[in-house]
Amino acid sequence: MKPRTGFAVVLVGVLAVLAVLIVRPFLNYVLGAILLAFVLTPAQRRLAPRVGPRVAALGLVTLTVIVVFGVAGALLSLGLAEVGDVPTAVSDLPAYRSVEAAAERTLGIELSSRFDRALDSLTAGIADGVSGVASAGLHAFLGVLLALFLFYYLLKDSADLIHWTKRVTPLPRDVQSRLYDEAEDATWAVLKGHIFVAVVQGVVSGVGFLVAGIPNAAFWTIVMMVLAMVPIVGVSPVMGGATIYLLVEGRPVAAVLLVVYGMSAVAITDDYLRALVIDKETSLHSGVILLGVFGAAYFLGAIGLFVGPILLALFKATVEVFTDYYELSAV
């Protein structure tokens, strides 16, 4: 290796490491911005010739913020609406007084003093963690702000970014074109077969909750949308909990109907809709999706539920393109 080439390799390697260290604290927000930009790029391409790339990108970012924060605000309002029904002290619990009397009569233990000491310790621990919560809140605020800026510029300058990437990538143009096409197809396949189906399955399950009269059906619908992205787990924990709730409330007929609904309508959504919206040749095996979801969630947090399977799909597409290219080159 020539000295100049070696120096260039070392310099690029060092700068790449530094770049990774800079991006790492906000990696999940960066990946979220990239995912949103990819999903809305087709809309950007349609709007840009009419209103201009800046206005189109700003409008899409604004619309995304309204939708996301609108959903989050609705969920928060649902949660706050239930706060009034939650006991504000241990002594307000319905069974507390009877348990306290039984413990004092049989064991000679004063639960009130023990609970008071436990609450004092808990309060001290919360006070010590306030600074950590404030730091996490500041990090989340900066991350969301950064994601919005990246989201805007990725929409506005996506064509320039793709052109630059193709120019600096040391691969033949035909290989690059096929690689980008395969990566785009694989990403859309995962989005449709993994995320879209999960959203539909959560909505279908939520309709069953609404008809059965389960409290906070809208909140549990959002929860089931997230759980539906996790293979094997799915919506079954929430559906099972709702069934038990109906049995405890003395509504066995509604519980049986909810089980039948889950085993029919909800199961059909997962089994057949996934096969309809995604080409079997480009889909990932359920085991690979499971690995992508759990591994990426452990490494990246909540965004890993979305990004993990997509990264594995991109890896699969890249390997296939390179394999075909080198096999043809060897002939």
Side-chain angles (χ1 to χ4, degrees):
M1 181 182 295
K2 296 181 180 180
R4 293 182 179 179
T5 305
F7 175 77
V9 171
V10 173
L11 179 61
V12 172
V14 171
L15 292 177
V17 172
L18 293 177
V20 170
L21 293 177
I22 292 173
V23 176
R24 179 65 185 90
F26 298 98
L27 180 59
N28 49 355
Y29 297 99
V30 173
L31 292 175
I34 294 174
L35 180 61
L36 288 174
F38 176 83
V39 172
L40 293 178
T41 291
Q44 171 72 13
R45 291 173 179 172
R46 292 185 178 182
L47 293 175
R50 302 178 182 179
V51 299
R54 295 177 181 271
V55 176
L58 183 60
L60 290 174
V61 171
T62 304
L63 179 62
T64 302
V65 170
I66 292 175
V67 171
V68 171
F69 283 93
V71 173
L75 292 177
L76 182 61
S77 63
L78 287 174
L80 292 178
E82 298 297 320
V83 171
D85 299 331
V86 177
T88 57
V90 177
S91 57
D92 295 333
L93 294 173
Y96 173 76
R97 296 188 181 279
S98 58
V99 172
E100 181 184 25
E104 291 181 354
R105 202 166 44 245
T106 58
L107 302 177
I109 299 176
E110 295 184 2
L111 293 182
S112 58
S113 60
R114 292 178 177 270
F115 275 124
D116 290 339
R117 289 196 296 270
L119 289 176
D120 291 339
S121 302
L122 179 61
T123 303
I126 293 175
D128 294 337
V130 168
S131 60
V133 173
S135 177
L138 178 61
H139 181 269
F141 173 77
L142 294 177
V144 171
L145 192 63
L146 173 64
L148 290 177
F149 276 103
L150 287 177
F151 182 28
Y152 168 77
Y153 284 110
L154 286 172
L155 286 175
K156 184 176 73 71
D157 301 324
S158 59
D160 296 335
L161 177 61
I162 294 174
H163 176 73
W164 175 83
T165 304
K166 290 183 177 180
R167 183 172 62 84
V168 300
T169 301
L171 290 173
R173 287 304 176 92
D174 58 338
V175 176
Q176 290 191 42
S177 298
R178 187 188 168 192
L179 183 60
Y180 281 103
D181 292 341
E182 291 288 341
E184 184 175 1
D185 292 341
T187 303
W188 277 117
V190 172
L191 286 174
K192 291 185 293 183
H194 179 56
I195 298 177
F196 172 72
V197 173
V199 172
V200 174
Q201 188 179 8
V203 171
V204 172
S205 303
V207 171
F209 275 36
L210 185 64
V211 174
I214 301 297
N216 296 327
F219 171 78
W220 291 116
T221 298
I222 301 297
V223 173
M224 286 186 289
M225 287 181 185
V226 177
L227 290 178
M229 299 179 192
V230 183
I232 299 176
V233 178
V235 301
S236 55
V238 181
M239 295 287 291
T243 303
I244 296 174
Y245 169 81
L246 292 175
L247 291 174
V248 172
E249 290 291 315
R251 300 171 58 192
V253 176
V256 172
L257 291 177
L258 184 62
V259 171
V260 174
Y261 180 78
M263 297 179 64
S264 56
V266 178
I268 289 174
T269 302
D270 182 55
D271 294 337
Y272 293 99
L273 183 60
R274 194 181 301 273
L276 290 175
V277 300
I278 184 171
D279 185 1
K280 293 182 179 180
E281 294 182 358
T282 57
S283 64
L284 290 176
H285 191 274
S286 298
V288 178
I289 294 179
L290 179 65
L291 176 62
V293 169
F294 287 166
Y298 178 80
F299 178 62
L300 299 172
I303 192 64
L305 294 174
F306 306 93
V307 176
I310 292 177
L311 292 178
L312 292 183
L314 293 177
F315 173 73
K316 174 176 176 286
T318 302
V319 171
E320 291 177 348
V321 171
F322 284 169
T323 300
D324 294 341
Y325 171 71
Y326 285 113
E327 285 181 352
L328 292 175
S329 300
V331 175

